[in-house]
Amino acid sequence: MEAHDGLTLPTPDRFPAFPYDPPYPIQVDLMRHLYSSIERKHVTIVESPTGTGKTLSLLCASLSWLADEQQRARRGKISQHGASGSTEPTWVAAQAMQMRRRELEAQERDYEERLMRARNAEAKLRALARARVTKRRRVNAELPPIEGDADAFLPDDLDVADGLDNISPAVRALMAKVERSSANHTWSEGEEPTCTKIYYASRTHSQLSQVLPELRKLRFPPILHRSLGSTEHSEICKNETSRRKRELDQMEVGEDDGTGQRQWRTVSLGSRKQLCINEDVRSKIGDLDERCRELQQGQAGRRCQYLPPPEDGIKMLDFRDQILAFPKDIEDLAAAGRNADTCPYYGSRKAIPQAELVTLPYNLLLQKSAREALGIDITNQIVIIDEAHNLIPTLLSLSSVSITSATLSISLQQVETYYHKFRNRLAPSHGLHLRRLSSYLQAMSKVVEEWIVSKQVSTEVMSIPDYMQRLGRKVDGINLLEIETYLRKSKISRKISGYAQAVAAGALDACSQPSYLPRPLLPLQAVEAFMLGLAGAREDGRIIFSRIGKEGKSEMEMKYLLLNPSTTFREIVESARSVVLAGGTMSPMSDVIGRLFPSLPQDRMTTFSCGHIVPPSHVQTLILSKGPSGSRLEFKCAQQSDVQVLKELGQVVLNLCNVVPRGVIVFFPSYSSLNFAKKSWKANRVLEKFEAKKKVFWEPEESGAVDSTLCDYAEAVQSSSTERSDKRVGAILFAVVGAKLSEGLNFADDLARAVVVVGLPFANKNSPELQERIRYANETEIKIGSKRNPHSKDAGSELYENMCMNAVNQTIGRAIRHRSDWASLILLDHRYSMASIRQKLPSWIQDGVFICDTFGQAVKQLGSFYRDKK
């Protein structure tokens, strides 16, 4: 539905759909800001600390706007219909408007009833699923495995635009028209026009799984009530309403039907890895995506039994309605697919056009190729990115690609082997592009070999034009964009890699593959991603050559590094109606604006930072400048192994154990600093003193041990040991900033009555990647002509400092998780007292920061705080 700009929606003062009455004032302020931002087509950054109901407020405000927008679009359609015959009498125009209104209401009712029938059908399927024992479908043993047929690895000409080189533009246009007409007969019955929708993205599926429970709390009236409740036409629809109500009452209502509130049409998007329900495909060695595509096309006489054929399109439409009938997370969606014997991956894609709310992980939204594969069009849509403090690192990570000399060598070998095997059977366009690709890979390999032989340095950074020049004249005439386009459209790299895997596994010489073989990587796809970077932003990219591995077994690594995160994010910002970046801590916001929206007009950019719902008296923020001996606290990288510095730190922590009740979490700037402290404290027996006060835990180096460590820590916090005469009360957990325990985990209540940050976690400035980012920031500032105060830091130094403080802000946010929570936030380093550092702390704690000039002052403040909380 399109917005009608002549009918501006006023920002509401109340949000009746919000489930808690009354909401906190900061929640109302946040919802009003978000509603206004969407209506005015703004890009906005929202900072809402954990415990303030951020997700609920984001959903309530955005869906309230969407409901109002739907009513506005509906009124616009009715008014437009009435105004179409301006020369006719007024009563005729009014009658025409009434008829159009009834038509729209009938369409809405029919669609809602269809979804209600889908809910009922799904309830029956769930009941049947509970009543039966699910058995794995048997593979048709008569059909040979796909890997055993070399023809399966031939490319498909229909996927390649260059396959039409010898066809005139007029004929191409006619062919495209026929294809579109043919496609419209596939799964087309019951299609509805696409609607304005909200794309809600977060970093992981586990974070997205928290969205739907919040969605179910909202109290929007059912859409039938909304459409029938208008006084201006209630009398006209009275008889029709009664008839429809009798029909609905006669329907068998399924469980979880959601009567009493509106069911927003919602779909959760995921990858094949999460949604594929074909166990035979999942158990095979090789690329899951490619195997799925092969079965979809019915190659080698096979077709996935969960994907309805085109002639049975009504089955997919029915499943699409089930998906939209009631909100489902990824696990629910996969279960519904199993119950309906229908592919949830393609079912969810089919549901996108009619969905009003689409939840998806970062990578599916941020990567253009992923959006195109899923059929996502964000033009004039609302994009909400939650946990957006990770957005810039994610954008840079998704665009940066590394390949080793071994990967490049294997890729070249695979391309040449494939070409020699199939060259007599390839279409001319395929043969031409594969020869060009082979030449390009040969040139890249030659550059690598020359660098390994001639260069004594361990690292070298170069611009994209410099790298292209090194490739030499042999590839000067080859258009890299054409190769990249060919690789992307033909997906030939999957065919080549698949053929190489099959040959390596002996699948072309035997009937089956050994089940113990690991799933191999796809080298050519890594090279393809690298070439995509080369073909992209030239000024914003760098190539880094470096030696990796041990002496004697070292190899060379080439890395494409994207320096400007706004490059890949610009298309989303320019296409979407409104973009919302939300997070518990988005400080410093100036850094986010400068790096993501450098050219966005100021009148389209807004920010909002709400206070915390926790009373100020529940949060104590202390900056400790000196230790117990009176020495200045400073934990720079060069001092992390200093015995005297670590001894002073040990005394600080020991005193904190005496004062802080229950749980204490101490964050170090790096694993190396944590290990130095552990070793030193163990040698001078300070660790034993910790153990006498609290049970000691350390952040595990293996991710698999995180859950067990957290469980043991939580148990120790809640219990007191009486094994020793000096009782241990609670526990202390030593962790690392930016590692496994500093983000995404809740240390509520007794789990963290104090969070301690040791030093400032600056990144390694010797890293060539970081050095290049800093240099790029300074060069960009000079290029755009920005003028700074002579005594202020340059752009590179600001970037370096902002990266550090972003990590600190995420870390200290682990403690305060709800309105009744309370904790001390203790920053151990005199540098935190500097105004430039302090002003980058979250806004909700800045006013309450207390700088302790002596350690005795800090102990006094802590003692007073905890006595008040008893």
Side-chain angles (χ1 to χ4, degrees):
M1 297 181 183
E2 296 181 357
H4 296 268
D5 294 331
L7 304 171
T8 302
L9 296 174
T11 304
D13 294 320
R14 295 180 63 254
F15 291 85
F18 198 79
Y20 306 113
D21 191 22
Y24 299 127
I26 59 174
Q27 292 173 329
V28 175
D29 292 343
L30 190 158
M31 289 188 286
R32 282 178 51 81
H33 172 83
L34 189 65
Y35 188 104
S36 174
S37 296
I38 295 174
E39 173 62 17
R40 297 173 186 273
K41 303 183 179 180
H42 285 166
V43 173
T44 187
I45 302 174
V46 173
E47 184 177 61
S48 178
T50 302
T52 54
K54 169 169 58 72
T55 303
L56 196 61
S57 299
L58 291 173
L59 288 172
C60 184
S62 58
L63 290 173
S64 294
W65 178 87
L66 186 58
D68 292 344
E69 158 66 6
Q70 291 169 345
Q71 291 298 316
R72 172 170 60 181
R74 186 169 171 272
R75 289 194 300 271
K77 289 179 180 178
I78 295 172
S79 300
Q80 187 180 26
H81 196 79
S84 60
S86 55
T87 59
E88 297 176 347
T90 304
W91 68 270
V92 175
Q95 187 69 19
M97 290 175 64
Q98 290 177 355
M99 291 176 62
R100 178 59 173 159
R101 183 182 292 120
R102 285 197 293 269
E103 289 175 4
L104 292 175
E105 288 170 352
Q107 290 175 8
E108 291 172 357
R109 286 194 299 272
D110 288 343
Y111 191 68
E112 287 303 307
E113 289 172 18
R114 198 173 87 203
L115 293 184
M116 189 172 290
R117 284 192 290 270
R119 292 185 197 113
N120 189 53
E122 184 182 2
K124 292 179 179 178
L125 287 173
R126 285 201 299 268
L128 289 172
R130 286 193 295 266
R132 69 171 183 260
V133 177
T134 303
K135 294 183 178 179
R136 178 177 169 180
R137 293 191 179 206
R138 295 186 61 185
V139 187
N140 189 342
E142 298 176 2
L143 293 173
I146 291 176
E147 296 92 331
D149 185 359
D151 288 348
F153 299 107
L154 284 169
D156 302 314
D157 288 331
L158 293 178
D159 290 337
V160 188
D162 290 340
L164 304 176
D165 283 345
N166 298 321
I167 301 177
S168 69
V171 175
R172 286 193 208 181
L174 181 61
M175 290 173 65
K177 184 176 181 180
V178 171
E179 285 181 10
R180 285 194 299 270
S181 175
S182 173
N184 287 338
H185 291 290
T186 303
W187 296 346
S188 61
E189 299 130 28
E191 292 281 4
E192 291 79 28
T194 59
C195 61
T196 302
K197 59 182 90 288
I198 298 166
Y199 288 98
Y200 195 109
S202 192
R203 193 159 56 108
T204 64
H205 281 293
S206 61
Q207 290 169 334
L208 287 171
S209 66
Q210 302 169 19
V211 173
L212 296 188
E214 298 299 288
L215 176 65
R216 296 185 186 111
K217 295 177 183 177
L218 298 176
R219 301 183 300 195
F220 285 95
I223 194 168
L224 294 181
H225 294 179
R226 291 177 66 91
S227 62
L228 299 177
S230 182
T231 55
E232 59 205 86
H233 62 280
S234 58
E235 197 62 37
I236 298 174
C237 301
K238 186 174 181 181
N239 294 334
E240 178 69 8
T241 303
S242 299
R243 184 183 69 80
R244 291 287 185 177
K245 187 176 185 303
R246 286 195 302 273
E247 290 181 3
L248 291 174
D249 289 341
Q250 293 170 2
M251 282 180 160
E252 180 185 354
V253 179
E255 58 180 318
D256 294 328
D257 61 280
T259 53
Q261 68 180 40
R262 175 171 179 171
Q263 294 299 306
W264 290 96
R265 300 195 298 274
T266 305
V267 61
S268 300
L269 299 182
S271 64
R272 286 180 175 88
K273 183 178 179 181
Q274 284 132 351
L275 291 175
C276 178
I277 58 174
N278 190 326
E279 294 301 326
D280 296 319
V281 172
R282 296 177 66 90
S283 63
K284 294 291 185 182
I285 295 171
D287 183 18
L288 177 63
D289 288 342
E290 183 60 24
R291 290 187 58 80
C292 174
R293 292 187 185 95
E294 290 169 349
L295 288 180
Q296 178 190 354
Q297 296 164 4
Q299 291 188 10
R302 297 168 60 97
R303 182 179 176 86
C304 180
Q305 64 265 40
Y306 298 105
L307 187 64
E311 60 271 16
D312 189 19
I314 194 67
K315 183 176 182 181
M316 181 60 80
L317 291 176
D318 287 343
F319 183 57
R320 179 203 64 183
D321 289 346
Q322 285 185 31
I323 292 174
L324 295 174
F326 194 79
K328 300 173 179 63
D329 60 22
I330 289 295
E331 289 75 18
D332 295 334
L333 187 56
R338 293 187 184 94
N339 293 339
D341 277 344
T342 309
C343 176
Y345 175 75
Y346 283 102
S348 62
R349 288 173 56 169
K350 193 66 180 171
I352 293 174
Q354 285 79 49
E356 296 164 313
L357 175 64
V358 180
T359 66
L360 69 170
Y362 275 0
N363 59 319
L364 297 184
L365 175 71
L366 300 178
Q367 291 180 298
K368 183 178 180 180
S369 58
R371 295 198 302 272
E372 291 176 347
L374 290 168
I376 292 175
D377 182 7
I378 58 175
T379 303
N380 206 34
Q381 309 297 330
I382 298 96
V383 174
I384 298 177
I385 300 179
D386 202 356
E387 303 297 328
H389 62 273
N390 285 307
L391 181 58
I392 291 177
T394 301
L395 285 167
L396 295 174
S397 174
L398 287 173
S399 302
S400 299
V401 186
S402 297
I403 58 173
T404 65
S405 51
T407 300
L408 185 57
S409 176
I410 293 171
S411 299
L412 176 58
Q413 182 183 4
Q414 288 182 355
V415 171
E416 291 180 340
T417 301
Y418 181 89
Y419 177 72
H420 287 300
K421 170 69 177 178
F422 297 105
R423 62 181 174 181
N424 294 328
R425 303 167 65 186
L426 293 172
S429 59
H430 282 291
L432 175 62
H433 282 300
L434 285 175
R435 288 194 297 273
R436 289 173 175 174
L437 175 61
S438 179
S439 297
Y440 219 97
L441 294 179
Q442 288 173 8
M444 291 172 66
S445 297
K446 185 178 179 182
V447 171
V448 168
E449 292 170 3
E450 291 175 350
W451 189 87
I452 293 174
V453 172
S454 63
K455 294 292 181 181
Q456 300 301 317
V457 296
S458 60
T459 303
E460 183 181 4
V461 181
M462 65 193 75
S463 66
I464 305 298
D466 288 343
Y467 176 74
M468 302 298 285
Q469 187 175 2
R470 290 194 186 192
L471 292 177
R473 295 182 179 179
K474 185 177 180 180
V475 298
D476 275 351
I478 299 177
N479 188 327
L480 182 59
L481 283 173
E482 287 185 3
I483 295 180
E484 186 276 321
T485 301
Y486 169 73
L487 290 171
R488 176 166 45 84
K489 288 187 175 181
S490 68
K491 299 180 177 60
I492 190 69
S493 60
R494 295 182 180 276
K495 299 287 186 179
I496 295 172
S497 298
Y499 177 73
Q501 291 170 29
V503 171
L508 296 181
D509 299 321
C511 295
S512 61
Q513 300 185 60
S515 58
Y516 57 81
L517 284 176
R519 290 179 182 269
L521 298 175
L522 302 180
L524 186 56
Q525 289 184 32
V527 175
E528 180 183 348
F530 184 86
M531 296 176 74
L532 177 62
L534 294 179
R538 294 295 181 91
E539 294 183 3
D540 297 337
R542 297 290 185 273
I543 303 295
I544 300 178
F545 283 16
S546 57
R547 299 180 189 273
I548 59 174
K550 298 179 180 178
E551 192 67 32
K553 294 184 179 180
S554 65
E555 59 178 327
M556 184 264 200
E557 180 186 65
M558 278 194 305
K559 182 171 187 177
Y560 169 75
L561 182 69
L562 180 68
L563 301 173
N564 185 0
S566 69
T567 301
T568 53
F569 198 55
R570 187 180 299 124
E571 184 177 349
I572 294 176
V573 174
E574 292 175 350
S575 301
R577 176 193 179 94
S578 179
V579 176
V580 180
L581 307 187
T585 304
M586 296 299 295
S587 302
M589 286 192 185
S590 58
D591 179 58
V592 179
I593 295 172
R595 298 178 70 188
L596 282 182
F597 314 107
S599 57
L600 190 71
Q602 290 187 352
D603 60 356
R604 201 188 166 207
M605 183 80 231
T606 60
T607 62
F608 179 87
S609 181
C610 67
H612 213 302
I613 57 173
V614 174
S617 60
H618 281 207
V619 184
Q620 179 187 56
T621 306
L622 302 179
I623 295 175
L624 273 63
S625 299
K626 294 182 179 180
S629 69
S631 61
R632 192 171 70 167
L633 295 178
E634 185 175 69
F635 301 97
K636 291 186 176 180
C637 182
Q639 298 167 304
Q640 66 182 9
S641 59
D642 189 305
V643 175
Q644 201 59 39
V645 171
L646 293 175
K647 182 179 179 181
E648 187 77 357
L649 176 59
Q651 289 302 313
V652 172
V653 175
L654 185 59
N655 278 278
L656 293 179
C657 288
N658 289 328
V659 181
V660 181
R662 298 298 182 181
V664 181
I665 306 179
V666 180
F667 285 97
F668 280 77
S670 65
Y671 277 109
S672 58
S673 60
L674 174 66
N675 291 330
F676 276 124
K678 184 177 181 180
K679 183 178 179 180
S680 175
W681 291 341
K682 191 173 183 179
N684 59 26
R685 308 189 73 173
V686 172
L687 203 53
E688 293 181 11
K689 296 178 181 179
F690 293 163
E691 287 279 7
K693 301 295 182 181
K694 294 181 181 292
K695 190 166 184 180
V696 177
F697 293 87
W698 304 88
E699 178 170 320
E701 294 188 4
E702 296 181 1
S703 299
V706 169
D707 289 342
S708 60
T709 300
L710 290 176
C711 288
D712 294 341
Y713 169 73
E715 184 179 351
V717 166
Q718 301 301 336
S719 62
S720 299
S721 173
T722 57
E723 295 176 4
R724 308 185 184 190
S725 56
D726 50 345
K727 297 179 182 178
R728 293 188 297 181
V729 179
I732 183 169
L733 173 60
F734 293 99
V736 176
V737 173
K740 306 173 187 69
L741 305 182
S742 65
E743 286 191 40
L745 294 176
N746 294 342
F747 291 101
D749 302 319
D750 285 342
L751 292 181
R753 290 307 181 194
V755 168
V756 183
V757 182
V758 178
L760 280 83
F762 284 107
N764 179 12
K765 213 166 188 176
N766 294 323
S767 162
E769 297 170 14
L770 180 57
Q771 288 179 352
E772 203 58 36
R773 295 194 193 284
I774 292 173
R775 187 182 300 113
Y776 176 80
N778 289 330
E779 290 174 354
T780 303
E781 184 180 49
I782 295 171
K783 187 182 298 183
I784 63 177
S786 297
K787 294 183 179 180
R788 285 180 174 266
N789 186 300
H791 303 290
S792 65
K793 298 182 180 70
D794 59 27
S797 299
E798 280 289 330
L799 170 65
Y800 188 53
E801 195 172 88
N802 289 337
M803 291 170 62
C804 168
M805 291 309 297
N806 182 269
V808 171
N809 293 340
Q810 294 307 314
T811 299
I812 61 180
R814 298 305 94 208
I816 307 296
R817 310 307 290 180
H818 57 82
R819 183 176 178 82
S820 302
D821 208 353
W822 51 270
S824 291
L825 309 175
I826 306 168
L827 307 176
L828 301 184
D829 200 301
H830 77 95
R831 291 174 290 174
Y832 281 110
S833 62
M834 298 164 57
S836 61
I837 296 290
R838 204 166 64 249
Q839 70 184 8
K840 292 176 181 177
L841 290 169
S843 57
W844 57 275
I845 68 170
Q846 282 187 25
D847 295 338
V849 173
F850 188 89
I851 302 173
C852 303
D853 295 325
T854 66
F855 187 73
Q857 196 177 26
V859 173
K860 183 178 179 180
Q861 290 288 329
L862 287 167
S864 175
F865 178 77
Y866 290 117
R867 280 195 298 273
D868 290 343
K869 296 297 172 286
K870 283 187 178 180

